[in-house]
Amino acid sequence: MERRPLRVAVIEDQPLYRQMLVGLLGSAPGFSVTRSANSSAQALALDPADFDVALVDLDLGDGDGFDVGLAYRSRNPRLGVVILSAVDAVHRMLALDPQDAAGWGYLSKTSALSAGSLVAALSASTEGRTMIDPALARRREARQGSPLDSLTTRQEEVLSLLAAGLTNAAIGEELGIAARSVDNHVIAVYSALGLTSTERRNPRVQAALLFVEHSR
Amino acid sequence: MLGSTAAVGILFAGATTVQSVLALGIFSQVLRGTAPEPTLEIVTRGIVNLATAAVLVGLVAILAPERRRPALRMTLTLVIAASAAVFRALAQLVAGVYAPSAGLALVTEIGTTAIAAVATLLIGFALVAAWGRLQTVERQRASSELEARLAYAELQDEELRVRREVAHGIHGSVQNVFVVLEAELNDTARRLAPDDAERIRRAAETVRGLREGELRSLSSVLYPVDLDRGLDPALTALVVRLPAHVAVELDFHEAARALDADRLPFDTRLLLVRVVEEALTNAVGHGDAHRIRFALEGGAGSPTIRVTLDDDGIGLGPHPVRSGLHRLGRQVELLGGVLDLVPSPVLSGARLHAIVPRDDTPAAARV
């Protein structure tokens, strides 16, 4: 049975960039742009029940992308929200309520113009994963003296990919190691960051946010 | 006018009493043939003279000559002076200072009293005019000072508005143009032979560096990132940009959020962000710090906000680079606060310490 295409809302104030995004998604199988807006005011007038994921520019001119995303999520908690930004402002993810950060993604505008990254971000977000642009995550370095500083190089790689929204299986594939060893690395990372999988908060989401907090 | 008339009138009343009795030795006995009694004489004449001054003041209060046109004012002055003089002569007659038969002496008294009263009133007019001029000058000075202050504040607001607009322009549309340009270059590179592709990719990388580096810092020099969102977001945007090799100990979120919740005035917010930005730049840029400890205090109920930023850099050195801090220090002082750069007591480098009052009314503007 063919799956219903994911309904995407594109919220972007720059006409040229919006056209490029709509064009890219138009040719990506499994996605359909059902709503679009060119300002925060227009975006807030949309009903978030009408789409599965929102692709929202951070800097909307008349408002802020996170504010639009939060307004959508309060009306549709299952909605995926991917923030797009021309500048690296990934730390803004830290202002999200950790209980409610699942399903939020952050993508640089450069990465968003590659169909692969865009599709991966939208999928991760609709599947409830917290996702940081892989290109940005790769470039980040652990801050001196932070909890990330104690991780081994391999654990740091695993955490970076986890923060980029990859599943353990995908991380194994990416690093060319067995899924079982990825599991072990993830458990070690949780322990180094003081996270337990039994706590109410999703430790995967927490780990992604801690990765952002303690890296540059 | 009443005050000046009363003051000068009483002065005259007292002086003439003392002068007539003690200096000139004019005693009523000359007229009445009674034994000399200087004290009684002074008291009697004093009461009469003071009563005359009171009549003078009373008439001034009723007729208000100082508020009339010059011609009417002069007439009223003469009427008041004559009335006071007649009153004095009659009072002295009743009090027994003169014998009823001393007709010439009485006429002379009326004449001299009238002259003294006119003099009193003229001095009063002069004092009132001088006071008025002084008040006008003071009012003009205060008004031009207020105008200058308002004009300065307007200029500052205008400068900030333009800065914000330009920074948002760079942040928004210019950044987007560069993003699209970078994407176009990378796309072109994919269609070219490896050598050319490499050159184009390098160009795309330059565009990215320009966008992420120069454009970004230009925009934040113009207007701090996230300043409009509050103190906490703006300070966060500063510390997350610190290089990864710098270990940070941060204790500012709680106080900053409390200040944001209390709607800290914009000017104070801007100044705090600029102070922290300058301190971080000094510590990492000039001081080569690898450790930074930043604390902000001053939540609800505190009258001041305290910024403490320690680093383990080279310290103050013989010539500390503090031109930016010097300028910010002056702004902090204008708000009634202080800013110091001292050796850090907890880390090996410098400590920046600033205290800023939460009320942002400039000290110079407080009355």
Side-chain angles (χ1 to χ4, degrees), chain B residues 2 15 26 29 36 47 49 62 96 105 118 124 136 187 198 216 222 231 245 275 283 287 293 353 363 365 367:
Chain B
L2 290 179
I26 300 168
Q29 60 169 18
I47 289 173
N49 286 346
I62 295 163
V118 168
T136 311
D187 191 48
E198 190 45 41
R216 195 188 170 108
L222 284 168
L231 183 63
H245 72 261
V275 165
R293 196 183 275 187
H353 185 235
V367 184

Side-chain angles (χ1 to χ4, degrees), chain A residues 12-14 16-17 20 57 59 61 64 66-67 85-89 91-92 94 108-110 113 136 139-146 213 215-216, chain B residues 168 171-176 179-180 182-184 186 190 208 211-212 216 225-226 229 233 236-237 239-248 257 290:
Chain A
E12 165 63 56
D13 63 334
Q14 304 289 329
L16 177 61
Y17 195 83
M20 293 172 92
D57 181 20
D59 198 355
D64 182 88
F66 274 96
D67 292 341
S85 175
V87 291
D88 180 358
H91 68 273
R92 291 282 310 277
L94 298 174
S108 81
K109 281 195 166 179
T110 312
L113 289 183
L136 293 181
R139 284 212 296 270
R140 292 185 82 88
E141 273 179 71
R143 183 171 296 286
Q144 196 78 37
S146 74
E213 186 179 349
S215 63
R216 158 73 171 91
Chain B
H168 281 180
H171 217 70
S173 37
V174 179
Q175 284 276 6
N176 271 294
V179 165
V180 173
E182 194 187 328
E184 292 283 0
N186 280 325
R190 272 190 284 277
R208 195 184 70 80
R211 193 168 61 75
E212 287 275 329
R216 195 188 170 108
V225 176
D226 284 341
R229 301 186 57 78
T236 304
V239 295
V240 297
R241 303 289 300 170
L242 285 171
H245 72 261
V246 179
V248 292
R257 281 176 197 148
H290 285 67

Side-chain angles (χ1 to χ4, degrees), chain A residues 59 61, chain B residues 156-172 219 221-224 226-229 266-267 269-270 274:
Chain A
D59 198 355
Chain B
Q156 273 191 321
D157 285 353
E158 181 59 14
E159 183 199 332
L160 210 60
R161 189 189 64 76
V162 173
R163 278 169 171 260
R164 179 193 278 136
E165 226 162 72
V166 176
H168 281 180
I170 293 174
H171 217 70
S219 148
V221 163
L222 284 168
Y223 197 77
D226 284 341
L227 182 68
D228 288 343
R229 301 186 57 78
F266 179 83
D267 289 355
R269 194 198 313 164
L270 174 61
R274 287 298 192 202

Side-chain angles (χ1 to χ4, degrees), chain B residues 39-94:
Chain B
T39 313
L40 180 69
E41 202 68 31
I42 284 183
V43 169
T44 314
R45 287 179 182 232
I47 289 173
V48 170
N49 286 346
L50 284 176
T52 308
V55 168
L56 202 62
V57 171
L59 288 172
V60 167
I62 295 163
L63 300 172
E66 76 279 7
R67 289 186 210 152
R68 316 289 172 183
R69 275 183 304 235
L72 184 56
R73 184 189 305 165
M74 218 47 237
T75 315
L76 284 175
T77 304
L78 293 174
V79 169
I80 292 169
S83 310
V86 169
F87 168 81
R88 181 164 179 258
L90 290 176
Q92 286 186 334
L93 206 59
V94 172

